[in-house]
């Protein structure tokens, strides 16, 4: 009834949140109202709200409202890559962050969606965020795109999706990423100069360590740049016996690489009273 009046502006925003009716309807998942508003010739689809900072598509992607996203994407004049003005995250970023697989699929089905766009704050791509947060289904969908760049690191610490997944212990995602030839399992972050394997060894993440060691191009001996300790030395220092055993089974491991004081892994294990590790190294 209101939309039938000549003096109704469908794009007017409320004064508290700065959201238009379409933004509110998209955010709350009111499919019927979205449909009505989209019938207005002068409806604003793509301009982020001055105070809310988001587009209607951004709100719907964030909230996981699949049908609303589908309705919005049917519009020829929709701009699906428009980021919000507060976080610089596009709808695909938000859907990946939240783990909304159905919404991610809808967005990826469009030819004009760039799956590799990095947000401005730390340079994370949708794949990066999905890998870090453990959204395995989203990661799988993104990796199915032929134009995906799966090894893009963030701009803050040079952390790749594999690094983030390994850091958080998301074994399923680590496995998916390592199945690709365009992934570097030896990438080094800039904070302490650690590889994913070194981090996993230090933290005792046996499942992640096992997966990484199965890669033919893994280097099991790369030390970090801050402490100059190899993955084996870190596992010994932390007392991770299972990780030590896995590392020792790798054909390229050198157990004699010393720490900066000249102590070998065996000597470190003895000094820290780890009898099980001493036995493995002897």
């Amino acid at each position: 009834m209101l939309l039938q009046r000549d003096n109704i502006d469908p794009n007017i925003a409320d004064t508290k949140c700065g959201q238009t009716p379409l933004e509110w309807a998209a955010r709350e998942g009111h499919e019927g109202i979205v449909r009505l508003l989209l019938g207005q010739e002068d409806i604003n689809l793509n301009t982020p709200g001055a105070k809310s900072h988001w587009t209607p598509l951004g709100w719907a992607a964030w909230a996981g409202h699949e049908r609303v996203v589908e309705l919005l994407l049917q519009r020829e004049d929709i701009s699906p890559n428009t980021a919000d003005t507060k976080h610089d995250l596009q709808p695909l970023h938000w859907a990946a962050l939240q783990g909304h697989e159905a919404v991610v699929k809808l967005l990826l089905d469009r030819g004009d969606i760039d799956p590799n766009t990095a947000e401005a704050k730390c340079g994370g791509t949708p794949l990066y965020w999905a890998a870090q947060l453990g959204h395995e289904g989203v990661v799988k969908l993104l990796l199915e795109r032929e134009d995906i760049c799966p090894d893009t690191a963030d701009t803050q610490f040079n952390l790749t999706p594999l690094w983030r997944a390994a850091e958080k212990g998301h074994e399923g995602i680590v496995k998916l990423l390592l199945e690709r030839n365009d992934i570097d399992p030896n990438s080094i972050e800039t904070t302490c100069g650690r590889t994913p394997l070194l981090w996993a060894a230090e933290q005792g993440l046996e499942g992640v360590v096992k997966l990484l060691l199965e890669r033919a191009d893994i280097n099991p001996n790369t030390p970090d740049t801050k402490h100059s300790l190899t993955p084996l030395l870190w596992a010994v220092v932390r007392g991770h016996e299972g990780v030590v055993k896995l590392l020792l089974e790798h054909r390229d491991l050198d157990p004699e690489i010393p720490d900066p004081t000249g102590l070998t892994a065996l000597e470190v294990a003895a000094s820290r009273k780890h009898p099980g590790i001493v036995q493995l190294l002897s």
Side-chain angles (χ1 to χ4, degrees):
M1 290 174 63
L2 288 167
L3 289 174
Q4 289 172 359
R5 295 178 63 93
D6 293 334
N7 59 345
I8 287 291
D9 180 1
N11 298 308
I12 194 166
D14 67 87
T15 55
K16 182 177 181 181
C17 301
Q19 292 180 203
T20 65
L22 182 57
E23 284 183 73
W24 274 114
R27 177 178 178 174
E28 300 301 318
H30 300 317
E31 179 186 338
I33 296 175
V34 169
R35 194 184 298 274
L36 285 171
L37 289 165
L38 290 178
Q40 302 300 299
E41 293 183 1
D42 55 346
I43 198 71
N44 185 351
L45 281 178
N46 301 310
T47 305
K51 290 175 67 176
S52 70
H53 306 288
W54 291 23
T55 64
L57 182 60
W59 280 119
W62 167 79
H65 297 312
E66 179 184 351
R67 283 293 299 135
V68 172
V69 169
E70 191 173 10
L71 282 171
L72 290 165
L73 291 177
Q74 288 172 0
R75 287 281 296 242
E76 293 182 0
D77 52 345
I78 194 78
S79 298
N81 295 307
T82 302
D84 68 84
T85 54
K86 185 175 182 179
H87 305 282
D88 191 44
L89 295 173
Q90 296 180 5
L92 182 60
H93 279 106
W94 282 116
L97 270 162
Q98 300 293 89
H100 298 315
E101 293 180 32
V103 174
V104 169
K105 188 175 187 309
L106 284 170
L107 290 165
L108 290 176
D109 284 343
R110 291 184 62 100
D112 54 352
I113 283 284
D114 181 0
N116 301 305
T117 302
E119 41 85 18
K121 185 176 181 181
C122 71
T125 63
L127 179 60
Y128 171 94
W129 288 113
Q132 178 180 353
L133 294 171
H135 300 313
E136 189 171 335
V138 173
V139 169
K140 189 173 181 181
L141 286 169
L142 288 163
L143 290 177
E144 289 172 355
R145 278 280 295 236
E146 292 183 1
D147 55 345
I148 195 72
C149 298
D151 216 26
T152 302
D154 66 37
T155 53
Q156 277 190 322
F157 308 109
N158 197 46
L159 295 171
T160 63
L162 174 63
W163 221 111
R164 282 301 196 189
E167 176 190 23
K168 300 297 183 181
H170 300 314
E171 294 179 24
I173 294 175
V174 170
K175 187 175 187 299
L176 284 172
L177 291 166
L178 288 174
E179 288 172 351
R180 295 185 62 105
N181 294 326
D182 47 358
I183 288 284
D184 178 10
N186 301 303
S187 62
I188 296 175
E189 51 85 29
T190 54
T191 305
C192 300
R194 298 167 295 191
T195 63
L197 178 61
L198 189 143
W199 171 265
E202 180 185 353
Q203 300 300 313
L205 303 172
E206 292 185 30
V208 174
V209 168
K210 186 175 187 300
L211 288 167
L212 288 163
L213 290 175
E214 289 171 355
R215 275 280 294 232
D217 54 347
I218 196 74
N219 185 344
N221 300 308
T222 304
D224 63 79
T225 56
K226 185 175 182 179
H227 303 283
S228 297
L229 297 178
T230 63
L232 178 62
L233 284 166
W234 269 118
V236 170
V237 167
R238 300 298 190 203
H240 300 312
E241 188 172 331
V243 173
V244 170
K245 187 175 186 299
L246 287 169
L247 289 165
L248 289 173
E249 291 171 353
H250 197 277
R251 63 184 180 277
D252 296 328
L253 185 87
D254 183 357
E256 300 301 321
I257 296 175
D259 69 8
T261 67
L263 295 178
T264 64
L266 176 58
E267 291 168 329
V268 172
S271 68
R272 289 180 175 263
K273 298 181 172 62
H274 297 315
I277 296 178
V278 169
Q279 187 174 358
L280 287 170
L281 290 165
S282 299

